[in-house]
Amino acid sequence: MGDSFQVKLSSKEILIIAALLGYESVFGVDEKAFTDANVDTKSLIRQHVRKMERKKLIRYDLDGILYIVPGLRQAIDCICNAETVGMFSTNLKSGKKASVYIMEKEGIVTFLEHFGDGKYLIRIADTVPLKEIIPYEILSSQPCDIREMMLFEEAEYVHKQIEEFNHDEAEMRIKKHIKDETATKTIAKILTGNCGYMSVQIHRKGNNLYNAIYNSLFVAVNNCTISLVADENDVLCFEALPPVVIEEQINLQFNLSKERGAV
């Protein structure tokens, strides 16, 4: 089916529409847009309302009843009251950064991307658009066989040694826990922090609270993608994952919410 609705809006416009629909907060949007004490807030709101009327996104009829384009109303409702919220943060070696939210409610998937300068792209789609979100470095990664574990405090120590150019000490510390030579070099490179990555956090609503159900950092290194996950004992697991597995893992979290609804 593809995209059913798409629009570019400023943070002020999004916040105004959300307020008109009765919402007090909006996922992924800077809510400080109206905090400047030197600005006439009421005048600014009227200005943006007129702007959205010219865009034919909203209108008031002769009886003063507000009409909002159905796709926009649906998207804002999903953003403000989602059942599942995915936060994707990307930082590539090329210097490109991206911050994207994927929200799902009752089978409706809404994509929210921040372009900077308070500008956002909102899109409703029939699937979670992972192909657009996952960086090329991760999508093009090659199979490799790495599954190792290290205490988080040990990883911090190694990172500090690398920062201080104590590479021999860092490598020796890694080898205390990891015997495979390839894995040692890969993990050492990861712990330099000089790699492209994608951070994924997914939360699901339950009892009016959002609970974390998935949290992983995917690092692109040596033509492989390594997933970093910390368990409840602060043990870091470094595991090589092919792109198809990453997509399956993420999609699973959204599909569960569609099947079960809010928990």
Side-chain angles (χ1 to χ4, degrees):
M1 183 175 67
D3 298 341
S4 57
F5 179 80
Q6 178 172 309
V7 66
K8 291 181 180 179
L9 294 173
S10 69
S11 57
K12 293 183 177 67
E13 290 170 327
I14 294 171
L15 293 172
I16 289 170
I17 295 172
L20 290 172
L21 291 174
Y23 292 109
E24 296 181 355
S25 61
V26 185
F27 282 117
V29 175
D30 182 6
E31 297 184 2
K32 300 177 182 178
F34 293 103
T35 58
D36 189 343
N38 298 318
V39 173
D40 182 345
T41 301
K42 290 184 179 179
S43 174
L44 187 61
I45 290 174
R46 285 195 295 269
Q47 175 185 332
H48 283 285
V49 166
R50 286 194 294 269
K51 184 177 179 182
M52 287 187 285
E53 286 177 321
R54 288 195 295 271
K55 292 181 182 179
K56 301 187 185 305
L57 294 174
I58 67 174
R59 73 167 185 268
Y60 286 92
D61 64 18
L62 295 176
D63 295 322
I65 297 174
L66 173 66
Y67 170 84
I68 301 175
V69 169
L72 180 57
R73 177 187 287 269
Q74 194 174 43
I76 298 297
D77 180 58
C78 182
I79 291 171
C80 296
N81 193 27
E83 293 169 356
T84 308
V85 179
M87 295 168 279
F88 298 76
S89 178
T90 301
N91 192 336
L92 305 183
K93 288 184 69 175
S94 63
K96 180 182 177 181
K97 297 182 180 180
S99 178
V100 175
Y101 281 72
I102 301 294
M103 273 78 72
E104 180 270 329
K105 179 182 178 183
E106 298 176 354
I108 301 300
V109 176
T110 301
F111 171 103
L112 175 70
E113 181 176 4
H114 185 208
F115 285 107
D117 297 326
K119 296 179 182 177
Y120 296 80
L121 170 68
I122 295 175
R123 186 166 81 242
I124 294 178
D126 57 358
T127 59
V128 179
L130 293 181
K131 295 283 186 192
E132 302 174 34
I133 299 169
I134 300 177
Y136 174 78
E137 288 91 329
I138 291 175
L139 285 176
S140 62
S141 62
Q142 302 301 308
C144 57
D145 186 19
I146 293 176
R147 183 175 172 80
E148 304 286 351
M149 291 184 288
M150 180 185 295
L151 283 171
F152 186 78
E153 62 182 20
E154 284 288 289
E156 283 190 318
Y157 176 82
V158 171
H159 176 67
K160 182 179 179 181
Q161 297 308 307
I162 292 172
E163 281 190 324
E164 295 175 354
F165 301 101
N166 297 326
H167 297 291
D168 290 341
E169 168 66 13
E171 187 169 336
M172 183 183 71
R173 199 65 171 242
I174 294 174
K175 286 181 176 179
K176 284 180 62 178
H177 307 276
I178 298 163
K179 306 304 179 185
D180 181 79
E181 185 70 22
T182 300
T184 297
K185 292 185 178 185
T186 299
I187 290 172
K189 189 167 184 179
I190 290 171
L191 294 177
T192 65
N194 187 28
C195 303
Y197 69 81
M198 178 180 71
S199 169
V200 182
Q201 298 178 54
I202 300 178
H203 293 73
R204 184 169 298 131
K205 191 174 185 179
N207 299 322
N208 294 319
L209 296 174
Y210 285 90
N211 304 304
I213 59 171
Y214 185 86
N215 193 339
S216 189
L217 180 68
F218 299 102
V219 180
V221 56
N222 297 336
N223 295 321
C224 292
T225 297
I226 309 297
S227 166
L228 274 70
V229 178
D231 66 15
E232 63 276 8
N233 298 314
D234 285 336
V235 174
L236 270 179
C237 178
F238 299 81
E239 182 178 11
L241 293 178
V244 65
V245 172
I246 296 171
E247 291 185 65
E248 287 173 355
Q249 286 185 357
I250 296 171
N251 266 316
L252 178 64
Q253 308 306 324
F254 288 93
N255 291 335
L256 280 174
S257 70
K258 291 179 185 179
E259 293 167 6
R260 301 185 330 188
V263 293

